[in-house]
Amino acid sequence: MQTFATISALRSFLAPHRASGHTIGFVPTMGALHEGHLSLVRRAVADCDIAVVSIFVNPTQFGPTEDLARYPRDLEGDSRLCASAGAHARFAPEPREIYPEGFCTWVEQNDATARCLEGEHRPTHFRGVLTVCLKFFNIVQPNRAYFGQKDFQQALLVRRMARQLDLPTEVVTCPIIREADGLAMSSRNRYLDPAARKQAASLSRGLEKARAALAAGERSAAALTALIRAELLAAGPCEIDYIAIADPDTLAPVETVDRSAVALLAVRIATTRLIDNLLLTPPQP
Ligand code: AMP
């Protein structure tokens, strides 16, 4: 695996591959890699001739009170993991390389789909995400870019950006990889102390309870969210940013789950904010 820190070096590496007709797969990450990230890398390696992984803790997607400074960083460990997953190139630029002095061009989506849920609780988050994704797409010019369903709203907005801005990149969404007790893998899980880690399994347990209730005939979104809330609160003190049952294409709230929907939540346990989601399919009558 080759490692790059500058845009020009990465472009020089990729140009002959592109000229030879090789397909390029791209996996953007913020590092502190785990099996969730690696599942995307393996998928890119399987689908494409060249797999590029970026490791960049993107400052513009963090709010002023968020965890940018303490976000876990382990470039050496991450490089080993990328290489073992078969990646051909690792791109880890410094913030100045991506945001040079005077940077002032932003990608924003100004509708309810972008402003709800994470957009409501982290008002500048998606502007940072979409801007860095567009920059990386322009730098790497991938045929396909791989995102996790773990960040459901992010994958949706990035796919919309690619479509609306006529980018030639296919946005592929991959399943959520979970720990044995159901907790969705996340770089932020390492902030959890043992008690908080145990409590954090309540997120996926709550979502699974909603899925089971739906399978048993409960279609009221209010009743399903109440079940999830009860599971979260039973596990210990937490601060719930949102629990929502939404249309999977628009994220508009759903009242009755009579077609596919997605249950999404964001919860703070101690000082750690966690998100998770689960697709819901009502039973056929
Ligand atoms: P991050 O480093 O948190 O920005 O994540 C980089 C990519 O990995 C995003 O597309 C995430 O959705 C994806 N990802 C993170 N955690 C998981 C997981 N548990 N399963 C699948 N994909 C994940």
Side-chain angles (χ1 to χ4, degrees):
M1 186 185 73
Q2 305 221 32
T3 61
F4 303 96
T6 65
I7 296 167
S8 62
L10 179 64
R11 281 193 163 145
S12 301
F13 167 75
L14 289 172
H17 287 290
R18 197 172 299 106
S20 315
H22 292 163
T23 55
I24 297 171
F26 175 49
V27 181
T29 82
M30 297 207 299
L33 299 183
H34 50 66
E35 275 301 313
H37 298 114
L38 297 178
S39 71
L40 308 184
V41 179
R42 291 192 196 102
R43 177 77 189 274
V45 169
D47 284 0
C48 305
D49 298 316
I50 296 291
V52 180
V53 181
S54 65
I55 295 173
F56 180 63
V57 182
N58 175 33
T60 64
Q61 69 188 68
F62 288 77
T65 61
E66 293 182 358
D67 56 343
L68 173 62
R70 73 162 178 154
Y71 197 84
R73 288 161 170 90
D74 176 14
L75 191 52
E76 271 188 25
D78 287 348
S79 297
R80 276 195 300 275
L81 289 171
C82 283
S84 69
H88 302 89
R90 184 224 70 187
F91 179 48
E94 291 295 327
R96 263 280 170 265
E97 179 76 2
I98 299 301
Y99 299 109
E101 189 71 37
F103 184 89
C104 62
T105 305
W106 299 99
V107 182
E108 272 189 279
Q109 293 183 1
N110 286 313
D111 73 344
T113 304
R115 278 197 300 263
C116 68
L117 305 175
E118 290 301 290
E120 183 182 342
H121 291 272
R122 306 180 72 189
T124 58
H125 175 65
F126 287 127
R127 182 179 92 144
V129 168
L130 293 173
T131 302
V132 84
C133 282
L134 181 60
K135 283 183 65 82
F136 281 168
F137 286 8
N138 283 328
I139 293 164
V140 177
Q141 298 176 41
N143 299 79
R144 301 190 193 93
Y146 296 85
F147 289 81
Q149 186 201 314
K150 159 89 188 334
D151 298 273
F152 190 94
Q153 191 174 14
Q154 166 176 283
L156 184 68
L157 300 190
V158 172
R159 179 172 302 104
R160 240 169 35 146
M161 173 181 76
R163 206 167 44 230
Q164 293 183 4
L165 297 183
D166 308 300
L167 306 182
T169 298
E170 179 193 349
V171 175
V172 180
T173 306
C174 302
I176 302 176
I177 306 297
R178 298 179 178 280
E179 302 286 357
D181 66 356
L183 176 64
M185 290 191 185
S186 164
S187 305
R188 290 188 168 98
N189 290 352
R190 57 183 84 184
Y191 299 152
L192 299 166
D193 67 22
R197 169 64 190 80
K198 187 155 177 266
Q199 189 183 339
S202 62
L203 277 70
S204 59
R205 238 180 9 245
L207 291 168
E208 283 297 344
K209 284 215 162 164
R211 174 135 85 182
L214 180 67
E218 179 57 79
R219 290 181 178 220
S220 152
L224 296 173
T225 52
L227 274 176
I228 298 172
R229 183 178 303 277
E231 190 66 37
L232 292 172
L233 296 175
C238 63
E239 209 177 291
I240 299 172
D241 272 358
Y242 59 81
I243 303 169
I245 309 241
D247 181 293
D249 298 320
T250 64
L251 299 179
V254 161
E255 276 182 23
T256 305
V257 186
D258 46 17
R259 58 200 158 79
S260 292
V262 57
L264 310 106
L265 50 80
V267 181
R268 198 176 306 272
I269 294 179
T271 58
T272 306
R273 188 173 182 278
L274 300 170
I275 59 172
D276 199 354
N277 67 83
L278 191 67
L279 287 165
L280 299 175
T281 312
Q284 295 308 312

